[in-house]
Amino acid sequence: MPETLPDGFLLDLSIEAGAWDEEDRLACLAERAIAAALAVADLKVADNSELSLLFTDDAAIRKLNARWREKNSATNVLSFPGSDPQGDVYGPLLGDIVLAHETVSREADEFGIEFTDHLSHLIVHGLLHLFDYDHQENDEAELMESLEKAVLAAIGIDDPYADRPLVADGIQAGS
């Protein structure tokens, strides 16, 4: 499994707000998660593709969530797709993934998992959204969840859904 990004792949990482780790540590964690997702989920990217990661806080992500999703609340991760795919090849502008420190930290504590494992999961989750994966319906949620679990297992992270029921867009499966 490749532990590095494809040649020419540009990861644009910015820390805007929040109590995030040093940029170098975040870049290593992100590169590992993204490389695994590209390989395991067989995601096709154009040459010289670019992905932006913005590390921020709950206040900033709340504003983005209100503006773009009409939900006036903080969330853990938001994804903003870039250029339209050419067939099954995405890029060169993959899009933006935005993460909120307080929510990611709180969820990691609530789930009893390592912060870095949860952050890796959310980066994978956000990336899959950029490749048109979704969890609006149960079948979509099952596919996306299975890909997330496979990617995380490839980098040594336990199943994040093991003790939680499948949720499709905020509705528990079967309800």
Side-chain angles (χ1 to χ4, degrees):
M1 145 107 51
E3 297 228 355
T4 59
L5 297 172
D7 287 341
F9 191 100
L10 176 62
L11 180 58
D12 181 19
L13 187 142
S14 299
I15 301 172
E16 176 185 76
W20 293 100
D21 277 340
E22 298 168 0
E23 186 172 332
D24 289 346
R25 282 191 52 151
L26 291 172
C28 287
L29 180 140
E31 287 174 13
R32 182 173 179 240
I34 293 163
L38 293 175
V40 172
D42 196 27
L43 304 175
K44 307 286 188 231
V45 296
D47 290 341
N48 302 312
S49 286
E50 180 178 342
L51 173 65
S52 172
L53 289 178
L54 176 62
F55 294 87
T56 193
D57 60 12
D58 279 3
I61 210 165
R62 175 189 298 269
K63 289 177 186 176
L64 290 170
N65 207 20
R67 179 175 181 189
W68 296 103
R69 298 180 66 224
E70 298 179 357
K71 295 184 178 189
N72 189 22
S73 61
T75 189
N76 51 19
V77 62
L78 291 173
S79 296
F80 298 96
S83 52
D84 290 331
Q86 301 299 312
D88 65 344
V89 177
Y90 286 72
L93 299 176
L94 296 176
D96 305 302
I97 299 172
V98 183
L99 299 126
H101 188 272
E102 296 94 335
T103 299
V104 174
S105 181
R106 186 185 69 252
E107 289 175 346
D109 288 344
E110 288 172 3
F111 302 148
I113 58 177
E114 290 293 322
F115 176 84
T116 55
D117 288 354
H118 190 46
L119 179 57
S120 294
H121 175 207
L122 293 173
I123 291 170
V124 169
H125 184 88
L127 184 67
L128 289 174
H129 276 309
L130 296 180
F131 283 80
D132 293 330
Y133 287 93
D134 211 339
H135 44 85
Q136 296 297 309
E137 304 293 331
N138 285 341
D139 59 335
E140 294 172 337
E142 289 173 5
L143 174 60
M144 191 167 175
E145 179 181 310
S146 69
L147 286 172
E148 290 172 8
K149 291 190 297 190
V151 170
L152 295 173
I155 57 175
I157 297 175
D158 291 336
D159 177 358
Y161 299 105
D163 297 324
R164 294 181 283 160
L166 174 67
V167 175
D169 195 32
I171 302 168
Q172 183 173 331
S175 54

